[in-house]
Amino acid sequence: MIKYLVVAAALAVVPAPASADAISDAALASHNVARAQYGARPLVWNPALLPATQTWANQCRFQHSQPNGAYGENLYASTKVADDATIVRDAVKAWMDEARYYDYNNPGFSGATGHFTQVVWKSTTNLAVAVGSCPAGTIFSRAAKFVVARYTPPGNWLGQFPQNVGRPV
């Protein structure tokens, strides 16, 4: 019995690996709460987008891929020590923090608000999010988490901002 307790105690301190479900749950919940505040319908998870999204996140290069209109893409990196689901929620919060800079009197694309407008883009319906664990010296001088979010259909199309970026409700 004591041997069993020692083994059980040793297993209890081993951290669980990040769960794809935890990431998708955090991504969908945080996106959909934000989208609801701007009159956009909830996104659904797109498992077909995930493999390439994860591959890009694992490369640990903080730059956009070349989607050629196939999907929208938001990026985020952090040196915060936290589980992947928390990092995903932090990413969505950072993207939504751009909302304060959006000019509803002159709707359109801006580098200061492009992440926000993609999150709340009304005609976007699908999402996949991946988190890469990046060693020191890749994105930052310290180890980091790299979040890549991909959206279909993509947002941020010129001329379509008034009908796709709602005012906060």
Side-chain angles (χ1 to χ4, degrees):
M1 186 69 149
I2 294 174
K3 190 180 258 186
Y4 173 76
L5 290 176
V6 171
V7 171
L11 291 175
V13 296
V14 174
S19 162
D21 288 340
I23 293 170
S24 62
D25 290 349
L28 283 172
S30 55
H31 274 83
N32 289 337
V33 165
R35 288 172 62 82
Q37 295 170 354
Y38 290 83
R41 290 181 301 208
L43 297 173
V44 296
W45 189 255
N46 185 333
L49 280 176
L50 187 57
T53 305
Q54 187 66 62
T55 297
W56 191 256
N58 290 344
Q59 291 181 20
C60 296
R61 290 184 297 162
F62 195 83
Q63 63 187 45
H64 285 284
S65 63
Q66 300 299 317
N68 296 320
Y71 49 82
E73 189 174 68
N74 279 351
L75 308 176
Y76 175 84
S78 174
T79 59
K80 180 178 180 179
V81 177
D83 61 89
D84 290 352
T86 298
I87 298 298
V88 167
R89 287 188 290 272
D90 290 350
V92 176
K93 181 187 179 316
W95 299 330
M96 290 305 297
D97 284 348
E98 296 176 0
R100 68 181 145 218
Y101 304 114
Y102 190 72
D103 183 358
Y104 286 95
N105 295 319
N106 187 23
F109 181 78
S110 161
T113 61
H115 300 104
F116 154 70
T117 53
Q118 176 59 83
V119 170
V120 302
W121 196 262
K122 290 181 179 181
S123 64
T124 294
T125 58
N126 288 256
L127 171 71
V129 175
V131 180
S133 293
C134 304
T138 53
I139 295 177
F140 298 116
S141 60
R142 297 179 14 205
K145 297 285 185 149
F146 180 35
V147 178
V148 178
R150 290 188 175 165
Y151 307 83
T152 61
N156 289 336
W157 290 102
L158 297 179
Q160 297 180 19
F161 282 81
Q163 64 269 34
N164 278 291
V165 180
R167 291 182 182 268
V169 291

